[in-house]
Amino acid sequence: MTSLRDQFSAVRKAQFEAQFDFFNSMTTQALDSAGRMAALNLAVSRDSLQRSLGATFALMNSRDPRDVLSLGGQAEEQFRSLFAYSRELLGIASGMR
């Protein structure tokens, strides 16, 4: 028969290990999500910069007002990119739960 003190000690140790495992898994998941978010933000920033440079060069090289109006079609592609970014961000956020 074990003493009450030994039983409490064993329970306390088990509870501490469970809490440590929980915090360890949460920290690992948070760091993984932060890494995925940083990679996503870097990719979106790079893509946005490339699009902006392309639009700027196209605007500088336009000779006709029709050329300038044709650049307006790129807004739809930017909205698609924005929605794709938000879907990917939502996927990362939902994975953290």
Side-chain angles (χ1 to χ4, degrees):
M1 184 168 171
T2 61
S3 71
L4 190 59
R5 181 181 221 168
D6 292 338
Q7 289 175 354
F8 278 129
S9 178
V11 168
R12 195 173 349 163
K13 182 179 179 184
Q15 184 179 15
F16 176 75
E17 287 176 0
Q19 286 177 345
F20 182 74
D21 290 341
F22 173 76
F23 287 128
N24 189 23
S25 68
M26 291 298 289
T27 302
T28 302
Q29 188 176 17
L31 289 175
D32 181 47
S33 295
R36 289 175 48 204
M37 226 161 80
L40 176 65
N41 285 337
L42 184 61
V44 168
S45 297
R46 187 178 299 140
D47 184 51
S48 177
L49 183 61
Q50 287 175 348
R51 287 176 199 250
S52 295
L53 286 174
T56 301
F57 286 133
L59 187 61
M60 288 184 347
N61 292 331
S62 65
R63 306 266 187 248
D64 193 347
R66 289 184 205 143
D67 295 337
V68 174
L69 292 176
S70 70
L71 295 176
Q74 293 179 354
E76 182 179 342
E77 184 62 32
Q78 289 175 346
F79 280 118
R80 285 186 191 151
S81 177
L82 178 66
F83 287 130
Y85 172 77
S86 64
R87 277 193 307 268
E88 194 71 29
L89 192 61
L90 181 63
I92 292 171
S94 66
M96 285 185 65
R97 292 181 184 174

